[in-house]
Short mmCIF file of all heavy atoms in Angstrom, two decimals:
data_model
loop_
_atom_site.label_atom_id
_atom_site.label_comp_id
_atom_site.label_asym_id
_atom_site.label_seq_id
_atom_site.Cartn_x
_atom_site.Cartn_y
_atom_site.Cartn_z
N TYR A 217 -22.65 21.23 -14.77
CA TYR A 217 -21.69 21.92 -15.71
C TYR A 217 -22.46 22.98 -16.52
O TYR A 217 -22.04 24.17 -16.66
CB TYR A 217 -20.95 20.94 -16.64
CG TYR A 217 -20.10 21.54 -17.72
CD1 TYR A 217 -18.94 22.14 -17.32
CD2 TYR A 217 -20.45 21.53 -19.04
CE1 TYR A 217 -18.12 22.77 -18.24
CE2 TYR A 217 -19.64 22.09 -20.00
CZ TYR A 217 -18.46 22.69 -19.60
OH TYR A 217 -17.68 23.22 -20.56
N GLN A 218 -23.65 22.57 -17.01
CA GLN A 218 -24.40 23.48 -17.89
C GLN A 218 -24.91 24.61 -17.10
O GLN A 218 -25.11 25.72 -17.63
CB GLN A 218 -25.59 22.72 -18.42
CG GLN A 218 -25.20 21.91 -19.69
CD GLN A 218 -26.16 20.73 -20.02
OE1 GLN A 218 -27.30 20.69 -19.43
NE2 GLN A 218 -25.75 19.79 -20.83
N ALA A 219 -25.08 24.45 -15.74
CA ALA A 219 -25.67 25.55 -14.97
C ALA A 219 -24.61 26.57 -14.60
O ALA A 219 -24.94 27.68 -14.08
CB ALA A 219 -26.23 25.01 -13.69
N VAL A 220 -23.36 26.29 -14.90
CA VAL A 220 -22.35 27.37 -14.59
C VAL A 220 -22.21 28.36 -15.71
O VAL A 220 -22.11 27.90 -16.86
CB VAL A 220 -20.89 26.65 -14.34
CG1 VAL A 220 -19.85 27.65 -14.11
CG2 VAL A 220 -21.01 25.61 -13.23
N PRO A 221 -22.27 29.61 -15.48
CA PRO A 221 -22.20 30.61 -16.50
C PRO A 221 -20.76 30.59 -17.15
O PRO A 221 -19.75 30.36 -16.44
CB PRO A 221 -22.48 31.97 -15.83
CG PRO A 221 -22.28 31.72 -14.33
CD PRO A 221 -22.52 30.27 -14.12
N SER A 222 -20.63 30.86 -18.42
CA SER A 222 -19.42 31.00 -19.10
C SER A 222 -18.72 32.32 -18.88
O SER A 222 -19.43 33.27 -18.75
CB SER A 222 -19.62 30.69 -20.62
OG SER A 222 -20.02 29.41 -20.87
N PRO A 223 -17.39 32.41 -19.03
CA PRO A 223 -16.44 31.40 -19.24
C PRO A 223 -16.34 30.58 -17.92
O PRO A 223 -16.42 31.06 -16.87
CB PRO A 223 -15.18 32.06 -19.48
CG PRO A 223 -15.29 33.40 -18.82
CD PRO A 223 -16.69 33.70 -18.86
N LYS A 224 -16.17 29.27 -18.07
CA LYS A 224 -16.05 28.38 -16.95
C LYS A 224 -14.95 27.44 -16.95
O LYS A 224 -14.48 27.05 -18.05
CB LYS A 224 -17.43 27.61 -16.78
CG LYS A 224 -17.90 26.93 -18.03
CD LYS A 224 -19.26 26.37 -17.80
CE LYS A 224 -20.04 26.08 -19.16
NZ LYS A 224 -21.49 25.82 -18.95
N VAL A 225 -14.54 27.06 -15.80
CA VAL A 225 -13.42 26.26 -15.67
C VAL A 225 -13.74 24.85 -15.15
O VAL A 225 -14.66 24.77 -14.30
CB VAL A 225 -12.44 26.92 -14.67
CG1 VAL A 225 -11.25 26.03 -14.31
CG2 VAL A 225 -11.91 28.19 -15.26
N VAL A 226 -13.17 23.78 -15.57
CA VAL A 226 -13.31 22.44 -15.04
C VAL A 226 -12.10 21.91 -14.51
O VAL A 226 -11.03 21.86 -15.13
CB VAL A 226 -13.87 21.44 -16.05
CG1 VAL A 226 -14.05 20.07 -15.50
CG2 VAL A 226 -15.22 21.98 -16.65
N ILE A 227 -12.08 21.55 -13.25
CA ILE A 227 -10.84 21.01 -12.56
C ILE A 227 -11.16 19.54 -12.16
O ILE A 227 -12.10 19.26 -11.47
CB ILE A 227 -10.52 21.84 -11.27
CG1 ILE A 227 -10.34 23.35 -11.73
CG2 ILE A 227 -9.27 21.31 -10.57
CD1 ILE A 227 -10.27 24.28 -10.59
N ALA A 228 -10.25 18.66 -12.51
CA ALA A 228 -10.37 17.25 -12.12
C ALA A 228 -9.38 17.00 -11.08
O ALA A 228 -8.20 17.16 -11.33
CB ALA A 228 -10.16 16.36 -13.37
N VAL A 229 -9.89 16.60 -9.93
CA VAL A 229 -8.96 16.34 -8.72
C VAL A 229 -8.98 14.83 -8.43
O VAL A 229 -10.04 14.25 -8.22
CB VAL A 229 -9.50 17.15 -7.55
CG1 VAL A 229 -8.69 16.70 -6.29
CG2 VAL A 229 -9.29 18.62 -7.77
N GLY A 230 -7.77 14.27 -8.41
CA GLY A 230 -7.65 12.86 -8.04
C GLY A 230 -7.66 11.96 -9.23
O GLY A 230 -8.10 12.16 -10.34
N SER A 231 -6.96 10.78 -9.06
CA SER A 231 -6.80 9.88 -10.22
C SER A 231 -8.12 9.40 -10.74
O SER A 231 -8.33 9.04 -11.91
CB SER A 231 -5.85 8.68 -9.88
OG SER A 231 -6.50 7.94 -8.84
N CYS A 232 -9.20 9.27 -9.84
CA CYS A 232 -10.49 8.87 -10.36
C CYS A 232 -11.00 9.82 -11.43
O CYS A 232 -11.42 9.45 -12.51
CB CYS A 232 -11.44 8.81 -9.19
SG CYS A 232 -11.43 7.37 -8.13
N ALA A 233 -11.00 11.11 -11.00
CA ALA A 233 -11.54 12.17 -11.88
C ALA A 233 -10.74 12.25 -13.19
O ALA A 233 -11.22 12.66 -14.26
CB ALA A 233 -11.62 13.47 -11.22
N ILE A 234 -9.37 11.86 -13.11
CA ILE A 234 -8.57 12.00 -14.35
C ILE A 234 -8.66 10.77 -15.13
O ILE A 234 -8.74 10.91 -16.43
CB ILE A 234 -7.12 12.24 -13.88
CG1 ILE A 234 -7.10 13.63 -13.08
CG2 ILE A 234 -6.19 12.33 -15.09
CD1 ILE A 234 -5.69 13.95 -12.41
N SER A 235 -8.73 9.63 -14.56
CA SER A 235 -8.66 8.47 -15.47
C SER A 235 -9.52 7.27 -14.95
O SER A 235 -9.56 6.24 -15.57
CB SER A 235 -7.19 7.93 -15.42
OG SER A 235 -6.93 7.40 -14.14
N GLY A 236 -10.24 7.44 -13.89
CA GLY A 236 -11.12 6.29 -13.37
C GLY A 236 -10.50 5.76 -12.07
O GLY A 236 -11.05 5.02 -11.36
#
Side-chain angles (χ1 to χ4, degrees):
Chain A
Y217 176 70
Q218 282 157 13
V220 178
S222 292
K224 51 189 160 189
V225 171
V226 178
I227 302 170
V229 171
S231 65
C232 283
I234 298 173
S235 68

